[in-house]
Amino acid sequence: MSRAKELTKQLLRQFVDSFDTILFDCDGVLWQSNDVISKTPALIAKLRDMGKQPLFVTNNSTKSRRQYMEKFAKLGFKVSENEIFCTAYLAAIYLRNILNFQGKAYLIGSPGMQEEFKLFDINYTGTGPDPVTGEVEDWVKIPLDPEIKAVVIGQDVQFSYKKILLAATYIRDRTVSFVATDHEGRHPHQAAKIVEPGTGSIVSAVETAAGRDALVLGKPHKFMVDLIKEKFTLEPRRTVMVGDRLNTDIQLGKNADLHTLLVLTGVSKLSDVDSNLESSDPTDRECIPDYYIESLTKLTEYLSDF
Amino acid sequence: MFSLKTYTSKFANIIWWKLFERKRTLSARILKMRHPEFTQITENNVKEVLDSVDTVLLDCDGVLWRGEDAIPGSPETVRMLRAMGKQPVFLTNYSILSRKELMEKFTHLGYDVREEEIYSSATLAGLYLQSHLQTDETVFVLGSQGLHDEIESFGVKVAPLDSEDHVFDIQSLTETLKIDPKIGAVVVAFDINFNYRKLLRAANILSKESTHFLVTNEDPRLPSNDGWIVPDCGCLIESVIKATKRTPTVLGKPNKFAWDFISKRFHVNPERTIMIGDSLNTDILFGYNCGIRRSLVLSGISSYADVTNRIDEVKHHPNAEKWIPNYYIQSLGTIAKCLWSLGLYEPDPDGDVCSDSASDETIEDRVDPWVSQPGTSSANGICHRKEVITTV
């Protein structure tokens, strides 16, 4: 149970020599909302020059890989689409390759997820606004769609009571798969001082209604790392996970036996690391990053002399 | 005409019946030894139980009515309790209707009730807010118009229900989100208009730690038929909790918030009070939390088997005791039936205490026949039996 070490210039050589592959979370690490964190595009370029393989792993399910490419480009990053592992893509791959999915999915998710589902030829329904007309007594008379064999939940700003009712009723049948992109409850936007409810707040409602837990594909679960291993060489002990959230990014590192670096430009603070150290929950006590750094801007500056 | 086959068959039947009775008696005896408190209310003890109480707290759904229909015998029992000098108080987690609207329902279903005897979770919200908010503070309500009206009837200002079209882009919404600083509380209740936009507003209002976070009840689902799941307040609460990382104050059962108001209003003696309900998780646990006796009716959510499971659990988890009622009875109407058959009560000839429609049809579906209660009949209910089969 060691304390996290601050990644200083002195520790830089040790850090750089410890990995070949570097996984980056995106929100709160490379950018905050639509604002790039200073010098991070240069960091990615430098790491490539040093022979490192950067990969991008995000729980944000609102964008497809193509849409992420657009965002990366807009913010000045040079990235290939096959280096992006977002949960919209994960959900589609899971249904297509793991479940070998036939039938229809009841999808609570954004246009980004819909795009990935179309790319993988997965039939879906339920997206978009579901206007509330009539009463519950009317809704429960409409016949259920017998083709629905999976309920998939991601971030959805059109989320509503009616969608909880439908999703929970479908997953009453245990042969219907129940999958979620992630379980993050909230996303604080520091600049705007606003909290955005996350997928976790949507999934919890459906789980409570149905008395059944979702299979979560995103961090901290290892599915993302397993998927990466199919496309890239990834040696866990030669890989570092860089993120801003203890319970997703750093926890993924622990689950997949990766090195971990916490950046302080996002959700988790050093006080959260201290809370984990003192927690009565053994999982929390183990969830301590190997290193922490104020921001990736600082890391870029350190590496400029490398 | 005598035949060996007939004689053997009749003999076999007698042996079988005797074995059945022995096993039934033995099982019931074992059950009573394991938990002497879990007693059926029958003609043998109904007078003793009623003489020991002055105040009767009654749940509504599953006790007085199911959906829009009165449960047979329940209106009669409420009238009878009042005639015997008992004070009925109606305590429901239902938040959709205001007290005025609930009164209309009670009246329509044949119940003799006064408005001040009704405590719904909407009323509890009004009571809480009246005593905790400043006069210029308002409340953001995720719930029905009935809840909105009930809160306003306590003189508390409610922010208008958000009924705007919720087709929007998250980016523009977060830029234009304005939180009224006068909002001092958020109430989360059953709300078929719940959506992401309301969740976003609630989450941001609750960022201020001093803002009260209230919920009417934690039930995850409403009762429903045909395989549909109808989410109740409990699901919406989980959403808001996940988005805020805050713990709400729960107003409804099993939280004992209502008890303070009821016990003061009716000068209640806890030792002479009983809670009668159909749910172990809300009604029976509420009774335990308030330190009063509690009786389960088997005409609603929880079954006899649910209780026996809890009794089995007590061995390993003593805490399970909280969910075990002192008494059980098929339905509220059975109380009036028992008193009638003892000659202690004359039912209303227009009532339905002993009509065929008042038979306890639910019991057969729910009861394990090998651990059957004494005195049950599959035919016409207790009042038509010549004798009551007792066990111990």
Side-chain angles (χ1 to χ4, degrees), chain A residues 159-174:
Chain A
F159 167 63
S160 66
Y161 173 89
K162 195 172 174 191
K163 291 191 181 190
I164 305 173
L165 185 152
L166 287 169
T169 302
Y170 277 121
I171 60 177
R172 251 196 140 177
D173 174 1
R174 295 280 159 151

Side-chain angles (χ1 to χ4, degrees), chain B residues 6 32 42 110 158 163 190 226 267 269 312 359:
Chain B
T6 315
K32 205 165 166 66
T42 65
V158 175
S163 57
F190 176 77
D226 304 327
H267 310 291
N269 176 355
D312 288 337
S359 67

Side-chain angles (χ1 to χ4, degrees), chain A residues 33-34 129-132 134-136 139-144 155-162 164-166 168-169 172 183-186 189 192-198 200-202 204-205 208-211, chain B residues 165-171 173-177 190-197 199-201 203-204 207 218 220-222 224-232 234-236 238-245:
Chain A
S33 294
N34 288 323
D130 201 350
V132 176
E135 297 289 332
V136 172
W139 308 341
V140 303
K141 290 188 186 121
I142 301 164
L144 287 174
Q155 176 68 305
D156 182 12
V157 297
Q158 316 289 3
F159 167 63
S160 66
Y161 173 89
K162 195 172 174 191
I164 305 173
L165 185 152
L166 287 169
T169 302
R172 251 196 140 177
H183 223 289
E184 292 181 33
R186 53 194 252 122
H189 289 251
K193 290 189 171 34
I194 273 168
V195 164
E196 189 188 319
S201 59
I202 299 173
S204 301
T208 305
Chain B
D165 186 345
H166 63 281
V167 179
F168 57 81
D169 168 57
I170 186 65
Q171 232 25 66
L173 181 70
T174 52
E175 281 155 17
T176 59
L177 188 66
F190 176 77
D191 182 10
I192 65 167
N193 293 301
F194 182 81
N195 59 28
Y196 187 87
R197 191 192 181 101
L199 176 60
L200 175 74
R201 260 183 100 196
N204 284 279
S207 291
E218 291 181 301
R221 285 172 291 279
L222 290 174
S224 79
N225 298 325
D226 304 327
W228 284 87
I229 288 187
V230 182
D232 196 355
C235 303
L236 311 186
E238 286 301 318
S239 264
V240 181
I241 288 174
K242 257 316 236 198
T244 58
K245 284 190 160 176

